[in-house]
Amino acid sequence: MFHHVTVLLEEAVNGLKVKPDGIYVDCTLGGAGHSELIASRLGEGGRLIAFDQDESAIEHARGRLAPYMDRVTLIRSNFRHLEEKLLETGVPTHEGVPQVDGILFDLGVSSPQLDEAERGFGYRHDAPLDMRMDRASGLTAADIVNGWDEREIADILDRYGEERFARRIAKAIVEARKRRPIATTGELAELVKEAIPAAARRTGGHPARRSFQALRIAVNDELGAEEDALHQAVACLKPGGRVAVITFHSLEDRICKQIFAKYVQSCTCPPDFPMCVCGASSTLRLVNRKPIEPGAEEIAANPRARSAKLRIAEKLPPGP
């Protein structure tokens, strides 16, 4: 059963300003909550193109979106191939670049992936150490844990998990795998727990949470995919089109904030130049200066929404 509680549903879709005859892209189909609401606001001339690399999400969406499939195209692909796949769908182009009216990202891992023990994302159930969002891809968490060197593992835990005991955990992993390969999430969670000082285990939730997050991000190259896709999204928006991005941790949000800032910034001349000579103009304007966050009612109903942040930007007409 693919059950996913959609976060910031109304806020994100309202932020896109859906037009009945527009073309919209949901880069993270997941449980299809955002897609369903977008599709319900489209008329016969409108179109929704939805991406997911997880086959189970695609199959679930076929049922949930059944009333709207005359205007929906489902694509099984990582959203880092956004521009390429949009070209394949035949959307209008400008100078060879596809042009759409709105693009939505709901980043991170979906609830069904976390809750299905056999996917190997969670530390609360013992399962094969996998963590692939696309089960047809090659690299697994077990490959990293059993094959990468100690420094590489520590770097992943530090960079993607912001784990202050990254070196201790990496050393414990390498020592343990000398005896036998680390094959399950339960084995890894126990190793991480034992590597962290007892006093530090008493706060901040499950001691393996940050390490599992880091491995998941590395296995799926989530931050690299986000960066690639956001640049493509800006290029693929029509003037007046909007991009809405929901993030769930600081690394994702930082990338989104920095990329938006790059396109909002206009003049690139050194500050001591008496006049602008670069001729640059802003590509985006921020719709909300500060990120939109879930209210107390949504957090109470869905605690996983607590860390969510929504940023929205609008494509500006080209400068003179």
Side-chain angles (χ1 to χ4, degrees):
M1 179 65 179
F2 199 101
H3 176 69
H4 175 69
V5 180
T6 306
V7 175
L8 292 167
L9 174 61
E10 295 281 346
E11 294 89 341
V13 176
N14 289 345
L16 292 178
K17 292 178 65 177
V18 176
K19 300 181 294 186
D21 61 347
I23 302 173
Y24 295 88
V25 182
D26 184 350
C27 286
T28 44
L29 176 63
H34 290 116
S35 278
E36 182 179 41
L37 186 56
I38 293 169
S40 73
R41 296 182 180 182
L42 295 175
E44 290 184 5
R47 189 172 180 193
L48 170 66
I49 302 164
F51 286 70
D52 207 292
Q53 57 187 334
D54 188 333
E55 182 61 35
S56 61
I58 295 284
E59 290 307 310
H60 164 79
R62 291 188 200 282
R64 184 164 184 177
L65 299 176
Y68 312 106
M69 287 305 291
D70 61 329
R71 67 202 71 167
V72 174
T73 301
L74 301 178
I75 298 177
R76 187 184 176 194
S77 174
N78 188 299
F79 55 60
R80 75 187 317 156
H81 307 299
L82 175 64
E83 185 173 337
E84 171 193 343
K85 295 299 181 181
L86 287 180
L87 284 172
E88 291 176 5
T89 67
V91 301
T93 63
H94 175 69
E95 297 181 348
V97 179
Q99 299 291 280
V100 301
D101 296 284
I103 302 175
L104 172 70
F105 293 87
D106 182 2
L107 299 174
V109 64
S110 67
S111 297
Q113 291 169 333
L114 285 172
D115 295 337
E116 291 173 17
E118 67 272 15
R119 302 299 297 272
F121 286 102
Y123 39 77
R124 300 187 186 279
H125 306 285
D126 200 24
L129 196 52
D130 194 319
M131 301 194 190
R132 290 173 298 173
M133 293 182 183
D134 177 358
R135 285 183 274 196
S137 64
L139 184 69
T140 68
D143 294 330
I144 294 175
V145 166
N146 292 296
W148 291 21
D149 68 35
E150 184 177 327
R151 181 176 294 180
E152 289 175 314
I153 294 171
D155 184 52
I156 283 173
L157 301 182
D158 177 43
R159 187 189 313 168
Y160 298 154
E162 299 176 303
E163 172 56 72
R164 61 190 175 117
F165 300 108
R167 293 192 181 280
R168 292 178 62 144
I169 295 168
K171 184 177 181 179
I173 287 171
V174 171
E175 288 300 315
R177 76 188 190 194
K178 289 177 183 176
R179 298 187 290 273
R180 66 175 187 278
I182 302 163
T184 71
T185 55
E187 292 174 54
L188 179 60
E190 188 61 29
L191 271 173
V192 173
K193 179 181 174 183
E194 292 299 319
I196 294 176
R201 294 182 217 152
R202 301 188 191 109
T203 59
H206 195 287
R209 178 177 58 84
R210 290 180 294 275
S211 295
F212 272 63
Q213 171 187 291
L215 286 167
R216 188 202 81 217
I217 289 172
V219 165
N220 298 287
D221 189 24
E222 292 177 34
L223 301 184
E226 177 191 355
E227 189 166 355
D228 288 350
L230 283 177
H231 286 296
Q232 292 175 56
V234 174
C236 291
L237 281 176
K238 296 178 183 177
R242 289 186 171 190
V243 55
V245 184
I246 301 171
T247 61
F248 286 87
H249 63 74
S250 59
L251 299 176
E252 292 172 342
D253 184 57
R254 190 179 308 146
I255 288 172
C256 178
K257 183 179 179 180
Q258 289 173 347
I259 290 176
F260 279 8
K262 175 182 176 181
Y263 288 104
V264 167
Q265 184 178 3
S266 52
C267 177
T268 58
C269 296
D272 58 345
F273 271 35
M275 60 181 292
C276 174
V277 296
C278 72
S281 60
S282 297
T283 304
L284 295 178
R285 75 169 184 88
L286 298 180
V287 173
N288 51 319
R289 288 284 172 184
K290 292 185 177 180
I292 298 167
E293 299 181 2
E297 188 175 334
E298 180 171 5
I299 292 171
N302 178 21
R304 285 178 178 167
R306 184 179 303 277
S307 59
K309 292 182 178 181
L310 169 63
R311 295 184 185 272
I312 306 168
E314 183 175 295
K315 182 85 167 274
L316 296 171

